[in-house]
Amino acid sequence: MSRSGLASRLYRGEAGLAIVPRRKLWFSICGGLVLLTVLSFVIQGFTLGIEFRGGNEFQVPTSVGTMQRAEEAVHNALADESTPDGPAEVVSSQQVGDTTYLFRTSPLDQQQATDVRTAVAQELGIPVNDISDNRVSAAWGAQITQRALIGLVIFLVLVTGYLVLRFELRMAIAAVSGLALDLLLTAGIYSAVGFEVTPSTVVGFLTILGFALYDTVVVFDKIQENTRGITGGSSQTYPEAANLALNQTLMRSINTSVVALLPVGGLLFIGAGLLGAGTLKDLGLVLFVGMGAAFFSSIFFSTPLLVSLKEREPRIRQHTQRVLARRAGGGRDGSATRRPARQPGQARPAEERPADQPAEEAPVPAAEATALAGSAPKVGSRPSGKRSGGARGGRSGGNRPGGKRR
């Protein structure tokens, strides 16, 4: 019979992937990713959208031709303009729907914005009124960020309280640490690749936390089921039970991630890529990146971290030592105390007697047994008491040697 494939064994929870035993490797990988993330924050920084740093938006009708032609016209119009931060430039450009090109530029004052509109309209040969402009203040983005941070703190407090009540404190610490890693990895990808950070991105960050928490709770629930009363036995350690739970829920986590990523991918590549919905692009991108990072953190970080925290408990550590000692002894529990051999005449302990066998009498002390043995009559000997002589008229000594018989 041919061996079943990996997919079949994953569905049955029999893949036996050594995830928890290799937790030092996963911790090293996560540490390296966090280090790269911090370096990206310091060196690369973030590409903030116009809502966070302020600027101007110019909307040009698509009837002028290609977006490249319209963008060149905006570039030429900005060539003679300058800002306190340097020369004015186009920050981003995208098509919104089928009728509009949207160009975001450096912050301009009212006169500069009017001059740019006029120059673009003349170059493209359209009326000035066909081009609209809008000034965006950085204060709005700051307010969005502040409210998002407040929402994040409230979310973490509520989640931690729920996990402590539903599971335990160590599981809550591991789950929240996984959420923090998910946010760091997503932010690191945004920083390294240069994706633009917008208010939709901030909203997406809060959304992926719920998905990451769901995946972690599913795994932890199975771990709690596998480890309930584990210290009462001696056949499996806590890390082994946690690794088994991971293998049993791994296919469920994969299916959940794939099912969640498919509509988000459609939102990103179809809604934003083909239909040109800019807001959908910002939201879909952070969801797509964050859900992928959430799958990694819940499997390869949160559960191994939980096992490391649980092994600090004395009862879990002693249980692990007892299981390993039992295996080293060939299946016997090395921690059990051997009973001394039963001496002759000693009663069998109650736990060693069959259920239908009556209890034995208590053993007689050795000194008393010796005295009783000396006083007991020997086989074939006569009683040492006086004869009654009833058969011979009560006359004693009828059997003495030399006696005169009648």
Side-chain angles (χ1 to χ4, degrees), residues 61 63-64 69 73 117-128 130-131:
S63 58
V64 299
R69 179 170 181 265
R117 284 180 59 197
T118 303
V120 172
Q122 290 177 355
E123 184 171 348
L124 296 177
I126 59 176
V128 177
D130 290 350
I131 301 176

Side-chain angles (χ1 to χ4, degrees), residues 382-395:
R382 298 178 179 272
S384 58
K386 294 183 179 181
R387 298 175 180 268
S388 60
R392 298 178 179 270
R395 188 177 179 180

